[in-house]
Amino acid sequence: MAHRVLAVFLRRLFTFLAILSLLLCLATLVLWVRSYWQRDVFKHGDSTASNTDIYELVSSSGELDISADHNGSTESRVSYPLGMSASAIRSSQMNTLSTLQKQVQSKSYWFAGFGYNRWEIPSLFANHTIHLPHWFPALLFAIFPALRLRYILRTRRALHRNRAGLCLHCGYDLRATPDCCPECGQIAEPIKG
């Protein structure tokens, strides 16, 4: 009895996951088509007194970019004393900018439309970005619905063969020998729909 309840629960769970996955697949396909004329950005920022983390999901030009930005502590940021003239501030900013450009560390990897970028200024800023073509998550989300459809089609085929008196494995006519298939040796089992 418990085995049957578990089997029903697992079948319903798999069906629920297949439906959810199908909806996510369709949403990804819509987002993919939309990305060619509209850039969508979903952003989540977590800021505290000492640092700021920003997570982004960007859909643009058939590509999905997932990035994480981390701004370092406020103590490491550049500050200017009060009373500095505008030209002195601009000069300080240019010196700071050229110093920061020298400190930038970056790496980039690309393969078949997939990519990863990392660039950072130690103790000040770091960005990690993963680039995926839209077809990849759509394909991943299509796996559960495809497996569920395969299960449904196989069960229907088995029910049809069982009603017609055929072997479930090879389709041999079992009306003369209903217990065991003489062709493949498969033992006949009742099908539950």
Side-chain angles (χ1 to χ4, degrees):
M1 180 70 177
H3 178 64
R4 182 175 294 166
V5 170
L6 180 63
V8 169
F9 172 75
L10 290 176
R11 190 169 41 241
R12 287 183 180 167
L13 177 65
F14 190 74
T15 301
F16 172 75
L17 290 175
I19 291 170
L20 179 65
S21 188
L22 179 64
L23 292 174
L24 289 171
C25 179
L26 293 174
T28 304
L29 292 174
V30 167
L31 195 61
W32 183 6
V33 171
R34 178 183 161 93
S35 74
Y36 286 104
W37 74 83
Q38 180 70 39
R39 183 174 193 258
D40 293 314
V41 178
F42 306 99
K43 193 182 274 193
H44 173 70
D46 178 28
S47 58
T48 61
S50 63
N51 61 24
T52 303
D53 293 325
I54 299 172
Y55 304 97
E56 254 183 5
L57 179 67
V58 179
S59 172
S60 177
S61 302
E63 187 175 276
L64 202 57
D65 300 332
I66 304 163
S67 67
D69 294 337
H70 176 72
N71 293 321
S73 65
T74 53
E75 295 85 30
S76 64
R77 295 192 184 133
V78 178
S79 61
Y80 301 102
L82 292 173
M84 284 184 75
S85 68
S87 61
I89 290 175
R90 265 188 253 121
S91 169
S92 296
Q93 287 174 338
M94 293 305 286
N95 290 337
T96 304
L97 183 61
S98 65
T99 305
L100 291 178
Q101 285 176 340
K102 292 175 186 173
Q103 293 178 355
V104 170
Q105 300 171 356
S106 66
K107 288 190 178 182
S108 182
Y109 304 100
W110 287 90
F111 177 74
F114 297 88
Y116 172 74
N117 289 336
R118 177 185 65 83
W119 66 278
E120 65 181 310
I121 300 171
S123 76
L124 188 62
F125 180 79
N127 173 282
H128 300 271
T129 305
I130 298 171
H131 306 275
L132 303 169
H134 270 287
W135 61 262
F136 184 70
L139 181 67
L140 288 179
F141 290 135
I143 290 173
F144 269 123
L147 291 174
R148 182 65 180 147
L149 180 62
R150 178 177 175 245
Y151 173 79
I152 290 170
L153 293 176
R154 291 182 95 189
T155 304
R156 283 189 176 180
R157 187 183 80 193
L159 283 171
H160 172 71
R161 284 186 175 180
N162 192 27
R163 287 186 192 128
L166 304 175
C167 175
L168 301 178
H169 189 264
C170 67
Y172 187 81
D173 188 356
L174 292 179
R175 288 180 288 185
T177 56
D179 295 333
C180 183
C181 178
E183 187 72 22
C184 68
Q186 181 78 17
I187 298 173
E189 295 179 17
I191 297 296
K192 298 170 189 126

